[in-house]
DNA sequence: CGGTGAACTTAGCAAAGAGACG
DNA sequence: CGTCTCTTTGCTAAGTTCACCG
């Protein structure tokens, strides 16, 4: 590594971002560690490399072991029963569940596997699997997706697990079959399936069997009661149902500021008129003369009424939703019941783009069965369209993951119904993403050296490419594809930056060669940063592909995010701290990443107030502590005089009280710091999409932090694979 | 071999839900 | 036990990537 890499320190403190979350820090005393300087990163980096290399050599062995056991057991150990016993409406899924069984009997039990590397055949290839295998596409990208890497971290554990499970699974499987019959009525929930212990498809096939119930459509429009009137130019006017529906969309948004925006109003009115009868169209020519007031009030009253509903009524609605979820919220994919992410079709309404969107206010039309394409397997029960309707198409494409699709009318893009992040199909992909990022880790030095070299190239294209890559790496910018002008808000990423987004200062505030960025990125979120630096995109990705198999621009974001988390965790966590303080450290590490990736949020509306509340809680706690201390003192004095058991006991209990209060106070203060620092930072996006969950899991294990403190239920479901496989020594 | 569209990931915000508070 | 507050979930827009087409 040459001197040019102070790289990773830069990742974090690379500029004076406008919304630096730490700027308010001193407002609330900073008793805790601050972010330290990151000078040690370099060394750390190095030693890590050593580490991982070392590790790799042993990986292979484990991998091979791992393969031998690819039995796709359905995870039939009892230990998971607990988690599962929560509400389950078995009856509804009966048909699915039955199918699961049937297919197992058919010997169709699990995704056949085709190994990606020839030499693997040498190690393992049970005949029965083989027979189901497909030819693998030679050019398939997944081929590069090394099972070897993947199996890496779970090795130790897997080995352990393997041993007891091999024994156990024989037992349990047996038991299961026996008990199955009588349990029929009250079936045991399917055990959590550890798909990450199975082989995956490698030939572009996404599934072998797929059955689902189709989408849930938006409820039909219910015309307004006749007392809710619409006025045009002060006069009551009864609208046709079609026109009325669109009018209600506008009425519902009346308080929102974008109903005041010109483009929004113009687009809305234009589309609204299309839905009107010709008489209506002739009459309604000026949006300003439209009075939606009664409609608006009516909807407000409705939502009030909904809030005021009795418990029973609310319960009923909840149950109905649960019923729909059970019926439509799951599918059967390759013998496993999987949760669907978005089984409800998007309801009609007015399009609200983000930022300065040219199409805001346009009518997003209602999706009907004849707009819907169903995707499922040939041998499945095709979902029924609603009575009297037909699907647009039913297809059986197992090279894609979606179950339902339709074309949306605003941008003309396709929307999909897909599976939940906890599903095998999403989880595998997510895992793969982090493995690619880890491979980048191994060659990032080389790549960084090369693009620096390329800055000197005589070819302009090469120089441009190298600069783009440098920014993508150093600043974690997005790739920045071209967009159609006038179709979307004017936002940019690295390769679409224009001159007006950048200012160059040979010298600025004492630093040399400063680049100032100021542009709107994804979701029209502002990116502002000033960076001191050393003295276009398909092309870019092609180039990256040559540098490393599977490397694209976004891998840098994943890589830099994850490596930053790992470094920051190492740096910020201290053994002595208690759990709340450790979690603050975790959040700070997470925050460093969020800042790097520019994940911002609007400060919560009630932020100041909630901060004050918290502060007064702290003050109260301080008073309480002072009182407790006083009491302790007098108890001590008392004990000195009396010297009896009773007063000694009193001292002890007062001591405990003081301690307890001190702890509570500390916790509150930590909370205040955390919240303040987090004012405009959104941690969720990086946590969910950029941070290799195994880093977090390992950190939890290392410091004895319950993983629930870091991941909520949904997140634990999504990252089940990581929670299961990562040990405390996992290295990204 | 560039352009385009399909497929899939990433993103912030708002509504709903859960939990704390009085 | 209603209300207020914070967290979680749902929603869907807005990105990236890659295969395919002419």
């Amino acid at each position: 590594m040459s001197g040019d890499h102070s790289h990773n320190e830069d990742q974090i403190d690379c500029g004076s971002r406008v919304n630096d979350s730490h700027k308010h820090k001193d407002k609330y005393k900073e008793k805790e560690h601050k972010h330290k300087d990151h000078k040690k990163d370099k060394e750390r980096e190095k030693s890590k490399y050593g580490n991982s290399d070392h590790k790799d050599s042993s990986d292979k062995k484990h991998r091979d072991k791992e393969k031998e056991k690819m039995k796709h057991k359905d995870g039939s150990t009892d230990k998971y029963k607990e988690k599962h016993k929560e509400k389950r409406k078995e009856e509804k899924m009966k048909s699915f569940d039955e199918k699961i069984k049937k297919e197992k009997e058919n010997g169709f039990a699990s995704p056949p596997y085709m190994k990606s590397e020839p030499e693997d055949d040498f190690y393992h290839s049970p005949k029965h699997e083989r027979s189901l295998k497909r030819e693998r596409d030679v050019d398939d990208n997944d081929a590069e997706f090394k099972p070897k890497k993947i199996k890496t971290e779970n090795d130790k554990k897997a080995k352990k697990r393997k041993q007891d499970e091999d024994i156990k699974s024989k037992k349990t499987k047996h038991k299961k079959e026996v008990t199955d019959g009588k349990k029929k009525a009250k079936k045991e929930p399917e055990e959590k399936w550890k798909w990450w212990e199975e082989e995956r498809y490698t030939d572009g096939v996404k599934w072998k069997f797929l059955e689902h119930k189709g989408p849930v459509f938006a409820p039909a429009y219910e015309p307004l009661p006749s007392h809710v009137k619409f006025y045009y130019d002060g006069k009551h006017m009864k609208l046709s149902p079609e026109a009325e529906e669109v009018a209600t969309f506008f009425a519902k948004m009346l308080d929102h500021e974008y109903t005041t925006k010109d483009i929004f109003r113009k687009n809305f009115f234009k589309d609204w008129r299309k839905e009107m009868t010709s008489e209506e169209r002739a009459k309604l020519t000026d949006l300003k003369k439209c009075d939606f007031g009664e409609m608006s009030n009516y909807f407000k009253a409705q939502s009030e009424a909904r809030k005021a509903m009795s418990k029973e009524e609310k319960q009923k609605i909840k149950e109905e939703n649960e019923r729909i979820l059970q019926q439509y919220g799951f599918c059967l994919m390759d013998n496993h019941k999987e949760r669907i992410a978005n089984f409800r079709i998007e309801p009609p309404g007015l399009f609200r783009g983000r930022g300065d969107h040219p199409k805001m206010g346009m009518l997003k039309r209602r999706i009907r069965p004849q707009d819907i394409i169903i995707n499922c397997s040939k041998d499945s029960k095709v979902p029924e369209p609603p009575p009297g309707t037909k699907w647009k198409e039913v297809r059986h494409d197992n090279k894609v993951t979606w179950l339902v699709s339709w074309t949306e009318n605003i941008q003309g893009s396709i929307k999909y119904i897909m599976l939940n992040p906890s599903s095998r199909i999403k989880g595998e992909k997510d895992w793969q993403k982090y493995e690619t990022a880890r491979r980048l880790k191994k060659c990032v030095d080389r790549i960084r050296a090369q693009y620096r070299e390329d800055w000197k190239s005589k070819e302009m294209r090469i120089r441009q490419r190298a600069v783009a890559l440098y920014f993508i790496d150093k600043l974690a910018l997005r790739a920045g594809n071209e967009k159609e002008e006038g179709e979307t808000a004017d936002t940019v990423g690295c390769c679409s930056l224009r001159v007006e987004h950048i200012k160059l200062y040979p010298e600025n505030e004492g630093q040399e060669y400063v680049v100032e960025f100021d542009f709107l990125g994804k979701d029209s979120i502002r990116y502002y940063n000033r960076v001191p630096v050393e003295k276009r995109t398909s092309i870019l990705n092609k180039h990256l592909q040559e540098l490393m198999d599977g490397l694209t621009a976004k891998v840098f974001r994943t890589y830099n995010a994850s490596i930053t988390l790992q470094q920051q965790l190492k740096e910020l966590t201290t053994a002595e701290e208690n759990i709340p303080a450790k979690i603050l450290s975790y959040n700070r590490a997470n925050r460093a990443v969020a800042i790097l990736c520019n994940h911002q949020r609007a400060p919560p509306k009630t932020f100041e107030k909630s901060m004050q509340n918290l502060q007064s809680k702290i003050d109260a706690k301080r008073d309480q502590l002072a009182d407790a201390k006083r009491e302790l003192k007098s108890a001590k004095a008392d004990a000195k005089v009396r010297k009896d058991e009773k007063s000694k006991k009193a001292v002890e209990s007062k001591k405990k009280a003081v301690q307890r209060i001190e702890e509570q106070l500390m916790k509150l203060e930590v909370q205040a710091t955390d919240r303040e620092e987090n004012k405009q930072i959104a941690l969720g996006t990086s946590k969910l999409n950029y941070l290799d969950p195994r880093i977090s899991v390992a950190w939890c294990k290392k410091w004895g932090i319950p993983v629930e403190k870091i991941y909520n239920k949904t997140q634990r479901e999504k990252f089940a694979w990581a929670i299961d496989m990562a040990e405390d020594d996992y290295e990204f």
Side-chain angles (χ1 to χ4, degrees), chain A residues 81-199:
Chain A
K81 242 179 243 170
E82 267 285 295
K83 294 179 194 163
H84 261 289
K85 67 183 172 204
E86 14 176 353
K87 40 118 211 230
R88 261 191 87 125
K89 313 272 155 85
E90 287 94 1
E91 304 89 310
K92 271 127 201 168
M93 291 308 294
K94 202 175 260 165
S95 60
F96 275 177
D97 291 342
E98 271 159 13
K99 251 184 199 150
I100 292 175
K101 241 173 246 141
K102 210 182 302 164
E103 298 206 356
K104 267 175 202 158
E105 285 152 18
N106 291 345
F108 205 60
S110 95
Y113 167 71
M114 176 63 205
K115 261 153 273 93
S116 51
E117 290 163 84
E119 81 264 18
D120 286 350
D121 287 344
F122 183 80
Y123 294 104
H124 158 76
S125 182
K127 317 284 172 298
H128 62 278
E129 277 186 6
R130 182 110 276 210
S131 61
L132 286 172
K133 268 172 212 164
R134 339 182 111 230
E135 285 312 304
R136 154 184 132 204
D137 297 346
V138 185
D139 54 322
D140 191 304
N141 254 326
D142 280 9
E144 134 286 315
F145 180 7
K146 324 248 186 296
K148 64 171 157 222
K149 290 325 269 330
I150 283 140
K151 300 288 140 76
T152 305
E153 2 317 306
N154 52 357
D155 286 350
K156 262 178 277 173
K157 183 164 180 193
K159 231 189 343 190
K160 256 187 280 163
R161 206 190 307 112
K162 176 180 154 49
Q163 287 168 345
D164 17 87
E165 272 189 16
D166 273 358
I167 305 161
K168 215 187 271 172
S169 70
K170 268 174 214 151
K171 276 192 224 157
T172 9
K173 245 182 212 156
H174 184 64
K175 198 160 67 191
K176 208 178 174 188
E177 268 151 41
V178 177
T179 43
D180 246 7
K182 48 188 166 190
K183 277 204 180 148
K184 192 81 197 191
K186 198 184 174 1
K187 244 173 293 170
E188 279 303 313
E190 193 190 345
E191 294 296 344
K192 286 236 159 82
W193 171 39
K194 297 191 179 180
W195 51 257
W196 50 92
E197 293 180 350
E198 299 190 12
E199 298 293 354

Side-chain angles (χ1 to χ4, degrees), chain A residues 94 102 112 131-132 143 159 169 199 216 218 256-257 319 375 472 518 585-586 612 627 633 636 648 680 683:
Chain A
K94 202 175 260 165
K102 210 182 302 164
S131 61
L132 286 172
K159 231 189 343 190
S169 70
E199 298 293 354
V216 174
H256 206 292
E257 72 146 336
E319 276 165 21
N375 192 32
I472 284 171
D518 193 352
S585 297
Y586 180 88
Q612 279 168 11
D627 289 348
K633 219 174 193 176
K636 272 182 178 165
K648 266 187 204 161
Q680 336 189 256
L683 300 184

Side-chain angles (χ1 to χ4, degrees), chain A residues 14-35:
Chain A
C14 50
S16 40
R17 208 66 79 73
V18 140
N19 340 285
D20 183 345
S21 68
H22 297 214
K23 71 185 165 193
H24 303 291
K25 238 201 307 207
D26 16 36
K27 231 162 82 185
Y28 301 83
K29 247 154 290 175
E30 40 178 18
K31 55 252 149 235
E32 300 86 5
H33 44 266
K34 327 171 176 166
H35 286 167

Side-chain angles (χ1 to χ4, degrees), chain A residues 333-395:
Chain A
M333 183 178 275
D334 292 344
N335 299 314
H336 293 276
K337 189 173 153 186
E338 301 256 41
R339 180 86 188 262
I340 297 169
N342 55 326
F343 56 89
R344 289 171 196 275
I345 299 279
E346 297 172 18
L350 303 185
F351 176 80
R352 327 139 78 120
R354 316 230 170 105
D356 223 349
H357 198 117
K359 297 194 172 181
M360 65 169 87
M362 283 176 60
L363 174 64
K364 191 167 121 170
R365 62 163 235 287
R366 178 178 291 273
I367 305 300
R368 308 149 303 170
Q370 60 265 40
D371 302 315
I372 293 290
I373 302 175
I374 296 287
N375 192 32
C376 60
S377 58
K378 274 192 186 129
D379 52 348
S380 76
K381 194 162 155 292
V382 177
E384 288 294 330
T389 65
K390 279 192 173 136
W391 303 124
K392 179 180 179 183
E393 185 191 334
V394 174
R395 65 172 79 157

Side-chain angles (χ1 to χ4, degrees), chain A residues 454 459-469 536 540:
Chain A
D454 287 347
E459 259 187 89
M460 158 122 112
R461 291 157 41 101
I462 306 266
R463 290 198 309 270
Q464 284 178 339
R465 191 183 70 190
V467 169
L469 186 47
R536 294 167 214 241
L540 179 67

Side-chain angles (χ1 to χ4, degrees), chain A residues 412-471:
Chain A
S413 65
I414 305 173
K415 301 257 185 164
Y416 303 92
I417 290 183
M418 292 182 185
L419 297 192
N420 194 74
S422 62
S423 62
R424 183 214 101 220
I425 214 158
K426 292 293 183 189
E428 273 181 359
K429 198 76 186 301
D430 202 38
W431 183 10
Q432 174 180 19
K433 173 181 75 187
Y434 292 112
E435 290 310 313
T436 307
R438 294 177 83 203
R439 285 192 291 115
L440 171 58
K441 179 182 173 180
K442 294 200 174 128
C443 57
V444 72
D445 285 346
R446 191 188 90 223
I447 290 170
R448 284 171 177 166
Q450 165 155 172
Y451 66 58
R452 283 181 157 78
E453 206 44 48
D454 287 347
W455 292 341
K456 303 172 210 155
S457 169
K458 52 207 163 319
E459 259 187 89
M460 158 122 112
R461 291 157 41 101
I462 306 266
R463 290 198 309 270
Q464 284 178 339
R465 191 183 70 190
V467 169
L469 186 47
Y470 171 60
F471 286 144

Side-chain angles (χ1 to χ4, degrees), chain A residues 385-420:
Chain A
T389 65
K390 279 192 173 136
W391 303 124
K392 179 180 179 183
E393 185 191 334
V394 174
R395 65 172 79 157
H396 310 290
D397 181 356
N398 74 348
K399 303 272 203 223
V400 298
T401 67
W402 53 268
L403 322 187
V404 172
S405 76
W406 71 93
T407 301
E408 152 270 353
N409 67 305
I410 304 288
Q411 314 278 357
S413 65
I414 305 173
K415 301 257 185 164
Y416 303 92
I417 290 183
M418 292 182 185
L419 297 192
N420 194 74

